[in-house]
Amino acid sequence: MSTPVRRRVTQDQSWVLAPLLELPHVLHAAVISGDGFIEGSSPGLAREAAEGVAAMMSALQGAGRAVTAAFAGQDDARLRQTVVESAEGWVIAIPAGENTCLAVFAGPEVNMGVVSHQMQVQVATLGAKAMGSPPRDAGSPA
């Protein structure tokens, strides 16, 4: 049996999660790549659990796009938000730039409006700080 290959994260994006984790009833949060890898996660979420969440969220996002496209009669659909409700609480995921999403797990009593708003704020912050500047050419002066 082979050991699963883990992708090395070049830039941990966990910093964007701190304001979300301060909200009442928010238990965990993660930044997830579209191909199912964890880019950052809340401190209380075990590495293996985070990797499982990332893989499943990637599949869920893909299924959400496919079912939306099928219902809408389009080839492509863009998700604004994916929400899963369970007896344990809520999973909320929103796009966070190209090929990335921000996901939160919160208890059943959470104020989803407050969480959704703060997620949008954090996505804007993530875009401005982490993705806002183009890559530098190694030969150009700083």
Side-chain angles (χ1 to χ4, degrees):
M1 181 172 201
S2 64
T3 304
V5 176
R6 294 183 187 203
R7 185 175 80 163
R8 185 171 175 240
V9 176
T10 55
Q11 180 181 6
D12 185 2
Q13 297 179 356
S14 297
W15 57 267
V16 78
L17 306 176
L20 296 168
L21 295 168
E22 293 173 0
L23 296 174
H25 310 292
V26 171
L27 305 171
H28 295 292
V31 179
I32 300 165
S33 71
D35 52 357
F37 292 99
I38 196 75
E39 297 293 333
S41 64
S42 51
L45 189 60
R47 177 77 184 178
E48 286 188 19
E51 289 174 352
V53 165
M56 290 179 274
M57 185 53 66
S58 176
L60 184 59
Q61 295 280 75
R65 283 189 298 276
V67 74
T68 301
F71 270 128
Q74 299 176 345
D75 291 336
D76 189 26
R78 299 212 271 172
L79 297 180
R80 291 186 184 169
Q81 180 171 271
T82 304
V83 178
V84 176
E85 180 184 10
S86 71
E88 287 73 26
W90 298 87
V91 175
I92 306 164
I94 62 171
E98 187 154 339
N99 203 31
T100 304
C101 81
L102 179 60
V104 167
F105 176 64
E109 56 283 323
V110 72
N111 181 329
M112 287 182 48
V114 170
V115 173
S116 292
H117 172 75
Q118 188 62 47
M119 289 175 77
Q120 292 296 337
V121 169
Q122 292 311 108
V123 165
T125 302
L126 180 64
K129 288 186 180 181
M131 298 174 214
S133 50
R136 287 191 205 183
D137 179 24
S140 356

